[in-house]
Structures are given as C-alpha cells and as structure tokens.
Amino acid sequence: MSRRWMILAILALVPAVAFAGEKKQDEPKLDPPTKVPFRLSDTHHTIVRVKINGKGPFNFVVDTGCPVMLVSEPVGKKLGIEKGWATLDSLEIEGGLEMKKLKARIETPFQIEGMNGMGLPGVELHGLMGYTVLAKYKMEFDYTQKQMLWTPLKSDPLEPQPLGAGAKGAQGGMDMMVALVKIMTLFSGSGPVPPPQPRGFFGFELSGKDNMVHVTRVLGKSPADEAGLKKGDRIVSVEGTEVRSVNDVIAQADKLAAGKTLTIVVQRNTENHDIKITAGDGL
Amino acid sequence: MKRFLLPCIAVILLPGLIHAQEKPKQDAKKFVVPFELIKTQHMVVNVKVNGKGPYRLVFDTGAPDSLISTKIATEAEVYPKDFKKPVLALFGSAGQMKVKEIELGDLKAENLTAMVLDHPTVKAISSVVGPLEGIIGFTFYARYKTSIDYEKKEITFEPNDYKPGDVMSALMNKMMAPKSVRETPRILSPVGLIGLRVEKAKEDEEAGVIVKEVLNESPAADAGIKAGDRLLTLDGRWTDSVADLYIASGLIRLDAPITARVLRDGKKMDLKLTVRAGL
C-alpha cells in the first residue's frame, strides 16, 4: 500500500458537509472586476486571504468542491463564534472585495486538520471558501499571474442543499485516513515547519549587461555604504561564485537573513576589492 | 511501502514546480465547456477519458490532482498492462496513474496524472444526484487560464503554457527531507530594493505595519513614503505583519509602478511605488 494516494486523497477538498437548510443572504452590489491576490500552497491549493469581522488575515482555499464557506474551529474561537452555523458580519477578501452578513459553517474539515498537522501546505490553512461565496463572482484562475480576477455576478448563489437521508457515510472513512497519515508523519519525522525569516537588507541597486553586473546606486547610511561599496563598481563574484547576471547576485543574497554577511569581490579602476556587507534590517 | 520510498531520495524544499509536464498542443484559443450545477452545488462536467465516456466528474478547484473511479480506469484502460492491484486497496485505490487523454467538450489535454480512487464523498454525492465518476482538479485546469461563470454555467479554458508539476513528488520530497533541511527557516525575499525599515509591535492589532525609516534616494523615498506612515497594502496585498510585507514584496514586478497604500494623519493615501533591481 502506498502512502501517496492517501495523502492525495485527503488533499482533494471535497468535504462532506451535512447541514440543515438555511435562509439565503442579501449581497451588496460590488464594482467589477477586482484583482484578488492569491498564492499557490505547496499542496497546490489556491489560497486567498480574508478578514472576518475585521480579524485576520486568514488563509482560505478557493474550493468549488465545497458547497459553503467553511471556517475552521480555531478561527471560530478567535472570532468568538461557536461550532455550527453562524452569520459573519463581514468578510473582506484581499484585493478589496467585501461581503456583509454571510452565512458560514464553523467546523474544521478533516483535510485541513490533516494538512496543517503535517505542515504540508507551507502556510496554515484556516478554511475552505466554497460555493456560497464563489458563485457571487465570475472567477478567472491563471497560474502564470499573481492575481485572480473576480467579477461580481448579478444573481445570488442558490441555497446549498443537504445531502439528505439517501446519502450514507459521506465521510466514508476518509477521516480515518487523517489519523493514519498523522501516524505515518510521526515516523517520517515531518511536521510543522519553523516560521520564515525576512531576508536581510544591503542597500544597493544593480544592473546587468553583457554578462557584467554593475552597482548603479548605493543608498546613504545603508549596510552597503558602510561596507565601502561604491556606485560604478563591477561585481566580479559573490560568495566565491563568479557573477554574470543580476540574478546570480540575488540568488546568493537571498539566503541571508539580517546579521549575516555577504562577501563580494568588486572591480574598481582595474583593481579588485573584497567587500563584506553585513545585512541589516529592512527591504 | 517500497514504491513510495523510492522517489523520495532527492532533497527539494522549493515550493512549486518540480516536474515539468508536457504542455497541451492546442493553439491559444478559447474552449467553452458547459457545466451542470447539481443539488449539492457542485459543478459537474462531462468528460471523456482515453476516448471512453462521457463520464460525469466534479470540477473541483480544491483538488490538487484529478481523480477517476476504478470504473473509468478499467473501461478507459488506464491501468498499465502489467498492473497488479495492491492487496490492500482502500476505496479501490491504485495510486497515481498516467492518463493519455482527457477531453472536456472540444478541449483535449494529453499526458496528465490522475488518482484512481473511488472517493467516498463523491460516491455519497452520487447516491443523491446520479453517477459521478471522479474529480477534475488542478493538474488539468491549471494548464489553462480558467474562467468559471456560475451565471452562464460555463467554464472557459484558454491555454497559458503553465505547467502544473507533480504535487505528490514535491510533497514527498518535502516530507522526507532531512531534519536539518526541514528545520532551516525559509527566507522571505523581496523582488528588489524598496528602501524601507518597518516595525510592528506584538500588541499592535491594527491593520498595517509602521514605517520606521525611509532611505534617501530609494524607491520608497521617490514614492513619497514617509517615516511614521502605516503601510496598509502593497500591490493590493495586506501588509498587516512584517512577514506579510516581505511576502507581498516578493510577489511584485520590478520597474513597474504598483500601489502602496499608507495611512498618514488618519487619511488613506495611494502612492505609486516603482521597485528597482537591488538588495
């Protein structure tokens, strides 16, 4: 038996939500179309950020496979809302969209619990944004871009229907798999990852041409200025690696948090100089 | 177990694209595919797999891979010739398979992956709304600029050369990475030089971060950002924490004006910021 499919199966966010029928909500008229920034998680889920009742931001998966707005229980706790059906006073979506009085379900889907527990997505997931929100918009997904396009539609989303008595065992043991995968996670030693760190700040501008990289500006009082870097210097190497493009320089520097030192060799008036810049705080 | 352990030797921590897949051989034109909105408010599309079908599948942006039932896998001959079903096949799972061709209306995608699995939730839904044989997920639709219109009940696909990659290999590599690699924090890198120092106190729960310093002659100074401003958004992204600002600054374009929204003396102002190549 392979673990691969198990993990993948819980990644497929088709939560089985059993719920009773609820009344439809009004929606405010919105301006067309809005750029909604998104990120692709390491699990290949499309994440948009929201603020609920002014709190957040929280990370939600854009999930047409989910019939409702599903908010995880820890987020519910932060908002002071108990498990079950709730009306959110406001839902802001990053990029500038806002909804008032939105019906949502406070409940942690086992997929979210499983993925967060393993630290798989690379970002903590707080819930699933499903049909009752998504159907208010015409949505454009384009993974070559950094933003989605959401255009408000005129008609209201339909009321989600309960599966009814005909559907038996909607979870069907999928929730058990989370427990299994969690145990396997223990053995593989995987788990939540440490929080990311900002890159350090150096304070100079670069341009590249004909396989050569030059310093085009050094900001006053910046770490680069204090280390003696000058405008016009040609960067020969960084961390002992020869440099042919701006990206070569950035690739080396991108590993360094504040406090770390970038060692570069520059050519100035035919002479080579060693320069050590200790990264400061900033961007 | 062996089958899964083998591909996991390499150490990769980069999120995103690991394995390139073949891109579709379509011209850059649009394909409009109707969908049915079933009682449970799931989108259902008619799909042919290796020329067989049509089958009804759920279109699911929350699924990183596509999923086909054992029925499709058998009828469309998805199993390799020498394939033996695993002894312990929960939900009929046969793992990830290569699929030669998936068709939605006039749109043909070639060489995709799909999980063979009788997904219990999909089964539960089909017991109410009629047969459903799987899920169309990211590995399919991410190859296109995909537009979903719930009003017209249409999905429009336009090839965009994006290569979805293999999420499973990437995740497995991530999970199997040595402890030292996993515990090294990821560094959040801005795309270029802005020229700012910001702060956010722990007890500060207001939106935005406080600008502590703007360096002379920097892009931030050119944009008119001032020390004491509260930076609320960068290119439309909330900057409510220092980490948020770094993430946002890693997702912008160089040398093109973007909007930095600041709060100054109680007023919101949108400033034009052009970030330049630098560190």
Side-chain angles (χ1 to χ4, degrees):
Chain A
M1 174 171 63
S2 141
R3 284 188 231 182
R4 294 171 65 98
W5 73 268
M6 272 202 197
I7 288 168
L8 207 111
I10 68 160
L11 292 187
L13 295 177
V14 195
V17 189
F19 44 77
E22 289 287 339
K23 286 250 156 62
K24 206 191 302 180
Q25 294 300 312
D26 296 331
E27 60 154 328
K29 284 286 161 275
L30 294 153
D31 300 327
T34 300
K35 281 184 180 173
V36 176
F38 74 92
R39 285 170 74 189
L40 196 60
S41 72
D42 295 353
T43 47
H44 285 192
H45 290 110
T46 306
I47 313 291
V48 297
R49 299 200 304 166
V50 305
K51 289 185 187 179
I52 302 172
N53 299 350
K55 296 231 167 69
F58 302 113
N59 302 315
F60 275 72
V61 178
V62 179
D63 185 7
T64 60
C66 181
V68 293
M69 176 82 181
L70 207 55
V71 180
S72 74
E73 288 158 47
V75 172
K77 210 168 222 178
K78 271 186 202 168
L79 302 170
I81 307 175
E82 280 179 26
K83 189 175 170 175
W85 286 104
T87 301
L88 311 177
D89 288 332
S90 84
L91 176 74
E92 291 167 77
I93 300 174
E94 193 171 36
L97 296 172
E98 191 173 0
M99 271 156 265
K100 298 280 185 200
K101 299 284 171 204
L102 183 89
K103 194 67 81 179
R105 176 95 188 159
I106 315 291
E107 184 181 326
T108 307
F110 66 87
Q111 293 100 326
I112 294 280
E113 196 188 343
M115 282 193 283
N116 282 340
M118 286 177 270
L120 285 181
V123 54
E124 194 187 349
L125 303 180
H126 297 113
L128 308 178
M129 186 183 281
Y131 169 81
T132 48
V133 173
L134 304 180
K136 290 172 189 271
Y137 304 94
K138 183 180 167 185
M139 288 179 297
E140 188 181 286
F141 297 76
D142 185 347
Y143 296 97
T144 62
Q145 303 294 317
K146 310 282 188 206
Q147 278 117 356
M148 298 177 69
L149 284 182
W150 290 32
T151 313
L153 295 172
K154 283 187 208 86
S155 53
D156 281 344
L158 300 165
E159 183 71 15
Q161 300 294 308
L163 269 181
K168 276 184 193 156
Q171 303 281 56
M174 292 293 281
D175 44 352
M176 296 275 292
M177 282 184 6
V178 170
L180 266 173
V181 172
K182 271 185 183 163
I183 292 165
M184 294 188 305
T185 306
L186 282 179
F187 287 116
S188 74
S190 176
V193 292
Q197 282 184 6
R199 194 195 66 195
F201 178 71
F202 301 91
F204 62 99
E205 290 175 26
L206 293 162
S207 83
K209 204 184 165 189
D210 301 331
N211 294 328
M212 289 199 287
V213 180
H214 284 93
V215 176
T216 47
R217 191 193 309 257
V218 178
L219 298 181
K221 295 179 191 163
S222 68
D225 184 32
E226 278 159 18
L229 191 72
K230 301 267 183 261
K231 181 179 172 177
D233 286 353
R234 178 167 95 82
I235 299 183
V236 180
S237 69
V238 178
E239 305 293 334
T241 308
E242 196 192 336
V243 162
R244 298 172 73 83
S245 72
V246 170
N247 283 342
D248 290 345
V249 181
I250 288 171
Q252 294 293 333
D254 269 356
K255 301 169 191 164
L256 306 177
K260 302 272 191 224
T261 302
L262 183 72
T263 308
I264 61 180
V265 176
V266 299
Q267 191 184 54
R268 189 184 301 158
N269 306 326
T270 71
E271 263 177 57
N272 279 6
H273 299 264
D274 290 342
I275 293 183
K276 286 184 186 296
I277 312 173
T278 303
D281 176 29
L283 72 169
Chain B
M1 273 315 170
K2 268 183 200 148
R3 233 161 54 79
F4 138 75
L5 281 170
L6 277 176
C8 303
I9 296 158
V11 178
I12 302 166
L13 267 181
L14 298 170
L17 306 180
I18 308 294
H19 289 277
Q21 288 185 327
E22 265 180 59
K23 63 179 174 188
K25 285 172 188 140
Q26 262 107 18
D27 299 329
K29 64 177 270 203
K30 286 184 182 180
F31 297 85
V32 180
V33 174
F35 70 85
E36 176 197 348
L37 194 65
I38 58 174
K39 193 186 165 196
T40 53
Q41 262 55 277
H42 288 96
M43 303 163 67
V44 170
V45 285
N46 284 316
V47 177
K48 282 189 184 176
V49 179
N50 294 344
K52 294 280 166 14
Y55 305 101
R56 295 168 78 224
L57 272 69
V58 175
F59 185 87
D60 183 1
T61 60
D65 203 349
S66 298
L67 230 108
I68 55 173
S69 65
T70 48
K71 179 183 154 161
I72 298 186
T74 307
E75 289 176 6
E77 292 170 38
V78 170
Y79 298 118
K81 270 196 186 114
D82 55 352
F83 179 73
K84 287 196 189 91
K85 278 198 180 166
V87 184
L88 264 171
L90 268 175
F91 311 120
S93 170
Q96 202 175 27
M97 296 270 159
K98 287 262 172 216
V99 178
K100 229 181 279 161
E101 189 182 88
I102 290 185
E103 281 172 85
L104 266 75
D106 294 333
L107 176 62
K108 257 187 212 177
E110 292 169 343
N111 302 316
L112 306 104
T113 60
M115 301 291 299
V116 176
L117 177 69
D118 292 323
H119 196 293
T121 306
V122 173
K123 265 199 155 165
I125 299 169
S126 39
S127 71
V128 176
V129 299
L132 294 171
E133 299 292 342
I135 294 173
I136 290 288
F138 184 82
T139 47
F140 180 88
Y141 81 86
R143 296 171 165 213
Y144 312 97
K145 181 155 108 185
T146 300
S147 188
I148 299 173
D149 190 333
Y150 276 101
E151 222 163 63
K152 289 186 186 158
K153 304 232 173 17
E154 277 175 3
I155 314 173
T156 308
F157 299 97
E158 204 177 331
N160 67 356
D161 279 349
Y162 180 81
K163 294 166 187 66
D166 182 355
V167 67
M168 280 318 294
S169 305
L171 285 182
M172 282 302 154
N173 289 329
K174 184 175 163 171
M175 284 177 73
M176 299 308 288
K179 208 168 180 231
S180 58
V181 173
R182 272 199 319 270
E183 288 179 356
T184 305
R186 199 156 55 102
I187 304 274
L188 301 173
S189 301
V191 164
L193 178 91
I194 303 177
L196 280 181
R197 211 156 55 71
V198 299
E199 254 181 25
K200 177 97 179 195
K202 261 197 184 138
E203 61 278 8
D204 182 353
E205 288 188 354
E206 297 295 308
V209 289
I210 307 230
V211 176
K212 292 306 283 184
E213 189 186 355
V214 177
L215 280 93
N216 283 338
E217 297 190 315
S218 68
D222 294 349
I225 300 174
K226 291 195 162 58
D229 286 351
R230 252 190 124 89
L231 182 59
L232 299 176
T233 67
L234 189 68
D235 199 23
R237 289 177 196 259
W238 290 320
T239 53
D240 290 342
S241 68
V242 175
D244 273 3
L245 172 60
Y246 276 84
I247 291 168
S249 65
L251 294 167
I252 51 182
R253 291 208 165 92
L254 284 181
D255 300 318
I258 56 165
T259 301
R261 178 170 293 173
V262 299
L263 186 68
R264 185 184 299 165
D265 304 324
K267 273 184 212 147
K268 284 180 187 168
M269 304 167 63
D270 284 346
L271 304 173
K272 287 273 163 251
L273 169 71
T274 302
V275 178
R276 298 190 287 257
L279 296 165

